[in-house]
């Protein structure tokens, strides 16, 4: 088992996280009608950093993952593809 943000997941659950994460992050940004530049300014990061996160080239720091989840109104688990549910119900 592996720990991610205080939760434990099997290696199978984390195996596809990177691929799904880039899709959920980009799709949430588009759903909100934001450009990479707009979102990166809101986060205080370089637009290239955001692009790398969306493509799965770099890991998202936990503090930024929580900030993204707040901005998008979804859970961190959803951003990382660990659940298909956007919010806790």
């Amino acid at each position: 088992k592996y720990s991610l943000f205080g939760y434990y997941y099997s290696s199978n659950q984390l195996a596809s996280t990177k691929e799904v994460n880039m899709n959920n992050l980009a799709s949430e940004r588009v759903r909100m009608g934001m450009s990479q530049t707009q979102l990166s300014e809101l986060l205080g990061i370089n637009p290239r950093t955001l692009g790398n996160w969306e493509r799965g080239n770099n890991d998202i720091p936990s503090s930024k993952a929580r900030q993204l989840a707040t901005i998008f109104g979804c859970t961190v688990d959803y951003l990382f593809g660990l659940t298909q549910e956007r919010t806790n119900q």
Side-chain angles (χ1 to χ4, degrees):
K1 290 191 170 196
Y2 299 91
S3 176
L4 180 67
F5 304 116
Y7 298 98
Y8 289 92
Y9 302 97
S10 71
S11 57
N12 289 341
Q13 286 174 301
L14 292 177
S16 63
T17 298
K18 202 171 227 185
E19 180 180 320
V20 174
N21 171 33
M22 68 178 186
N23 292 333
N24 286 345
L25 178 54
S27 65
E28 284 298 299
R29 177 181 56 77
V30 170
R31 185 184 66 79
M32 295 288 288
M34 301 177 83
S35 68
Q36 282 185 336
T37 301
Q38 290 170 320
L39 182 56
S40 64
E41 287 175 359
L42 190 60
L43 295 169
I45 61 171
N46 189 298
R48 286 182 297 238
T49 300
L50 180 60
N52 282 326
W53 293 349
E54 288 184 355
R55 288 186 299 279
N57 294 336
N58 295 95
D59 292 332
I60 303 171
S62 61
S63 62
K64 295 299 181 185
R66 287 189 295 271
Q67 191 176 1
L68 285 162
T70 299
I71 291 167
F72 297 144
C74 66
T75 65
V76 171
D77 283 354
Y78 175 77
L79 284 177
F80 282 95
L82 299 172
T83 181
Q84 301 224 350
E85 299 294 324
R86 286 191 71 256
T87 60
N88 292 327
Q89 297 177 3

